[in-house]
Amino acid sequence: WSSIWRKLGLHTPSPSLFTGDMLGSWEACRKEMVRNFDGLFIHTARGIWLQTNGIIFNGMYNSVLQVVDSIIDMCKEFDEAQIT
């Protein structure tokens, strides 16, 4: 998660925002963070899910940096689709 934030040049949410309650923490981050936080969170979850499926079904292992790059690519593709 922090790798994605760093690669995008964003500051990671304050650790004090995470109280152990995922929904509450998400809402706190949404208030503090840049627009499109929901999309970044969803693309991150999807990227991890796709990586897990690749491991289970295809024996395909990617490095953390490869997964981060694919998540960022998904975000960029989504943004470009919104523009056109």
Side-chain angles (χ1 to χ4, degrees), residues 38-84:
D38 290 346
L40 180 59
F41 185 85
I42 290 166
H43 287 302
T44 300
R46 183 171 184 260
I48 294 169
W49 176 73
L50 290 172
Q51 173 63 23
T52 302
N53 281 352
I55 292 169
I56 292 171
F57 298 113
N58 302 322
M60 178 183 70
Y61 294 88
N62 292 317
S63 70
V64 171
L65 292 177
Q66 289 172 314
V67 175
V68 167
D69 287 342
S70 72
I71 291 168
I72 291 171
D73 288 343
M74 283 189 284
C75 291
K76 288 178 181 176
E77 288 173 14
F78 180 78
D79 281 345
E80 290 171 5
Q82 297 297 320
I83 293 171
T84 58

Side-chain angles (χ1 to χ4, degrees), residues 12-20 25 29 32:
T12 55
S14 168
S16 63
L17 292 176
F18 186 69
T19 61
S25 297
C29 286
E32 181 180 297

Side-chain angles (χ1 to χ4, degrees), residues 5 10-13 17 28-35 37:
W5 285 92
L10 302 171
H11 299 291
T12 55
L17 292 176
C29 286
R30 288 178 71 201
K31 290 177 185 173
E32 181 180 297
M33 301 313 297
V34 297
R35 84 175 173 79
F37 176 78

